[in-house]
Amino acid sequence: MSEGTIAVEVSGLPQARAAMTARVRRQAWFVTACGCVLLWTCLIQLLAYGRLWQSWNPARFFLVLRDDVAGVGSSSAPPPLTPPSPGLQSRNYTSNGYLKLSCNGGLNQMRAAICDMVMVARLLNLTLVVPELDKNSFWADPSNFDDIFDVRYFIKSLKDEVRIIKKLPNSINRNASSQFFMMRPVSWSDEKYYIQQILPLFNKFNVIHFNKTDARLANNLAFELQKLRCRVNYHALKFSPQIMTLGNKLVQILRGKGSFVTLHLRYEMDMLAFSGCTHDCSEKEAEELKRLRYAYPWWREKEINSTAKRLQGLCPLTPEETTLILKALGFDKDTVIYIASGEIYGGEKRLSVLRAEFPNLVKKEMLLNSEDLQQFQNHSSKMAALDYMVSLASDTFIPTYDGNMAKVVEGHRRYLGFQKTILLDRRKLVKLLDMHNNKTLPWDEFASSVKQVVNGSLGQPICRKVLINKPKEEDYFYANPHECLTNAKECLNVPYQSNSSR
């Protein structure tokens, strides 16, 4: 080989090495890119698998398997529906279906039911349709949800918890029986009932319609579920702008008079007819109330012993009885008392004794002009909403009967800082009233005894007690939602009780 040839080969080495280096770099880049693509693909698969794992519910699997073995399901069973997450944390979910509601009862019965059903929708990953309000009850109020509550605020304020829509989408065929199922949930049911009995129904139906919603949820649930009920009740359910404006005006008028007491005098015709309480009523009035009770088939109890029921503390106090109790508690003639109620049975005549002792007795009809109340006439829920606002704002709240409004207001006032609420133990008080009226208990002793009965029942912090297997008799969640109050931690380890707190 010549020197010239050797020189050429030596001079070509740098170019060859450069080409080889570039080729190696391209190969390395290609391998790296493929590795990244593979890595991202694996990561996405892992995330998808993780979501499926989170939605796995062994109980749900066995429900489907049980149906297949029994021949109920088909061989191609639908995939398990997404169950609730125990801590109510993540809201990246696919809706399992639509929950439609027809509420029943008065304003506060419906209010509590709405809170309960939002919780159910949240628990089962359902899309909630804005509830329908009762238009067929004794009050025959034609109001819709948005007439009473701020519907936009309701939907917006809960969007991180549950999807709420104003109406079902047009794609849902209302005439297809396979898509709709109407039912009444079992009363006082807990989470297990809704997970095990209601959730599986959405494998067959797109929409479940609850046509009764009162007391369909237990008083005692998991802590986080209770917190959600409170969030709905005390934050999401804001009254409509019309009600808020007039309610605030009413409160300002009362505040202009100084401190005031709200007396929830539950002495209306429907209450007396339903309860069968006719103490101090004439024979004509007692017969009228009985006829009304028989006129409503869903008021199941017809023949009622009024005397026995009153002695059991199951009757609202009469205006005359209330007068004596207020005097015994130390309220004087200058006390401004706002009556929160519908039309008192017997009208002004029945209020004469109460008004004689407390001349500053007022009602919304006395404080607002007729123009203000014109749009509220014949709308009992709107009227009740005004009373609700005044009851929350008052210095003292005194219910004469522990109905739905009394209980819900009591709980709301606890939530707002344990505002003073005087709870009357009617079973004990009627005995004292009878002894005083029979002149066997002098006034001083009567007044002292009344104060002793009331002392300790002023809406102060107290743990809600529970009666196992007696939900109707135990403390009502909305009267004392202790999980949402400042004393919540103190109540976490309180054992179940065998007797009621009242």
Side-chain angles (χ1 to χ4, degrees):
M1 182 179 294
S2 66
E3 293 180 357
T5 303
I6 295 173
V8 170
E9 288 179 354
V10 170
S11 64
L13 284 175
Q15 289 86 349
R17 288 176 179 173
M20 182 178 295
T21 302
R23 185 166 56 253
V24 169
R25 286 178 179 175
R26 285 195 298 271
Q27 290 175 347
W29 179 88
F30 179 76
V31 170
T32 301
C34 291
C36 290
V37 171
L38 180 62
L39 180 62
W40 277 106
T41 302
C42 293
L43 181 60
I44 291 172
Q45 292 294 327
L46 285 172
L47 288 173
Y49 179 77
R51 288 178 180 173
L52 287 173
W53 178 254
Q54 287 179 352
S55 67
W56 170 250
N57 183 357
R60 185 77 183 91
F61 170 78
F62 284 115
L63 283 173
V64 175
L65 180 60
R66 179 199 64 190
D67 288 345
D68 285 342
V69 171
V72 177
S74 63
S75 59
S76 58
L81 298 176
T82 306
S85 55
L88 295 183
Q89 296 167 354
S90 175
R91 294 312 293 146
N92 295 321
Y93 71 96
T94 299
S95 175
N96 288 325
Y98 298 92
L99 179 60
K100 199 170 184 295
L101 310 173
S102 292
C103 299
N104 59 298
L107 173 65
N108 292 285
Q109 182 171 306
M110 293 191 290
R111 182 188 185 103
I114 291 167
C115 299
D116 289 349
M117 292 302 109
V118 169
M119 200 287 296
V120 170
R122 173 64 173 86
L123 179 69
L124 303 183
N125 289 343
L126 303 176
T127 297
L128 179 69
V129 183
V130 169
E132 298 174 351
L133 302 189
D134 191 342
K135 297 178 175 61
N136 300 314
S137 64
F138 172 83
W139 305 278
D141 189 328
S143 299
N144 294 317
F145 185 94
D146 56 359
D147 294 318
I148 306 298
F149 301 108
D150 188 330
V151 65
R152 290 184 180 179
Y153 183 82
F154 177 69
I155 294 173
K156 182 178 179 181
S157 64
L158 293 171
K159 66 179 182 180
D160 62 327
E161 292 286 0
V162 62
R163 183 178 177 229
I164 305 174
I165 57 176
K166 292 185 178 180
K167 62 179 182 178
L168 288 169
N170 293 331
S171 58
I172 300 293
N173 185 356
R174 295 179 180 272
N175 296 322
S177 59
S178 61
Q179 295 190 25
F180 282 80
F181 183 67
M182 183 177 291
M183 64 174 296
R184 297 180 181 182
V186 175
S187 298
W188 309 110
S189 299
D190 61 11
E191 306 98 308
K192 292 181 180 178
Y193 166 79
Y194 285 97
I195 294 171
Q196 297 175 1
Q197 302 297 323
I198 302 301
L199 183 60
L201 293 175
F202 286 94
N203 275 329
K204 301 178 181 179
F205 305 100
N206 293 331
V207 183
I208 304 295
H209 183 178
F210 290 165
N211 58 359
K212 286 273 187 178
T213 56
D214 62 317
R216 305 294 152 166
L217 197 59
N219 287 312
N220 302 285
L221 305 170
F223 185 82
E224 290 302 320
L225 299 180
Q226 303 288 60
K227 298 280 282 187
L228 176 57
R229 292 167 99 177
C230 292
R231 178 179 173 183
V232 181
N233 194 20
Y234 306 130
H235 298 281
L237 281 179
K238 186 170 71 172
F239 288 126
S240 67
Q242 182 194 37
I243 291 174
M244 291 294 293
T245 298
L246 194 55
N248 286 328
K249 180 178 179 179
L250 193 52
V251 170
Q252 289 175 1
I253 293 172
L254 285 162
R255 283 280 174 231
K257 299 177 180 293
S259 61
F260 68 96
V261 173
T262 294
L263 178 66
H264 184 44
L265 189 60
R266 194 71 169 94
Y267 200 76
E268 299 125 324
M269 187 176 187
D270 66 294
M271 180 70 249
L272 300 177
F274 175 75
S275 65
C277 296
T278 57
H279 181 68
D280 280 349
C281 290
S282 66
E283 290 185 9
K284 181 179 179 181
E285 289 173 330
E287 185 60 32
E288 180 182 38
L289 294 172
K290 184 176 181 179
R291 286 199 302 270
L292 179 61
R293 184 164 64 251
Y294 272 88
Y296 288 86
W298 52 88
W299 291 357
R300 297 179 181 177
E301 196 174 7
K302 301 301 182 183
E303 293 298 324
I304 301 174
N305 186 326
S306 176
T307 301
K309 199 164 187 178
R310 176 177 174 271
L311 292 176
Q312 294 170 2
L314 300 177
C315 289
L317 295 177
T318 68
E320 295 83 3
E321 291 172 333
T322 303
T323 303
L324 291 173
I325 298 299
L326 293 178
K327 288 181 62 180
L329 292 174
F331 292 100
D332 57 34
K333 285 184 174 292
D334 295 330
T335 304
V336 177
I337 299 178
Y338 174 87
I339 295 185
S341 72
E343 184 178 353
I344 299 299
Y345 187 58
E348 281 297 317
K349 181 179 178 181
R350 201 62 199 262
L351 288 174
S352 59
V353 173
L354 182 60
R355 191 177 295 281
E357 290 293 336
F358 300 99
N360 292 322
L361 193 69
V362 296
K363 298 185 290 185
K364 51 186 167 291
E365 292 84 358
M366 298 169 58
L367 300 175
L368 299 172
N369 57 50
S370 57
E371 289 77 15
D372 287 332
L373 286 174
Q374 184 175 3
Q375 296 184 23
F376 286 65
Q377 296 297 332
N378 301 319
H379 290 76
S380 61
S381 291
K382 287 186 177 182
M383 290 289 202
L386 295 178
D387 286 341
Y388 191 96
M389 290 185 65
V390 174
S391 298
L392 290 186
S394 62
D395 297 276
T396 305
F397 176 66
I398 308 175
T400 61
Y401 185 76
D402 53 355
N404 289 298
M405 176 167 173
K407 291 177 180 178
V408 176
V409 169
E410 175 192 344
H412 204 153
R413 287 175 67 86
R414 288 179 186 271
Y415 184 81
L416 294 175
F418 300 102
Q419 297 173 346
K420 188 176 182 180
T421 301
I422 298 179
L423 305 173
L424 304 177
D425 188 329
R426 296 180 305 280
R427 184 177 61 82
K428 294 179 180 178
L429 290 176
V430 294
K431 293 179 181 178
L432 295 176
L433 285 163
D434 289 345
M435 291 171 65
H436 176 67
N437 290 329
N438 293 335
K439 303 188 184 304
T440 57
L441 187 64
W443 175 258
D444 290 344
E445 293 182 26
F446 170 75
S448 176
S449 298
V450 168
K451 290 174 183 176
Q452 288 180 11
V453 169
V454 170
N455 187 32
S457 300
L458 301 175
Q460 65 268 49
I462 186 172
C463 297
R464 189 179 65 253
K465 296 182 181 179
V466 179
L467 290 172
I468 300 176
N469 298 323
K470 294 183 179 180
K472 293 182 180 180
E473 300 176 24
E474 69 185 0
D475 287 356
Y476 187 44
F477 170 77
Y478 290 102
N480 183 18
H482 70 224
E483 295 89 342
C484 311
L485 309 180
T486 56
N487 64 321
K489 293 182 179 179
E490 301 172 8
C491 298
L492 289 178
N493 297 319
V494 174
Y496 285 161
Q497 304 292 321
S498 60
N499 59 347
S500 176
S501 63
R502 294 187 217 129

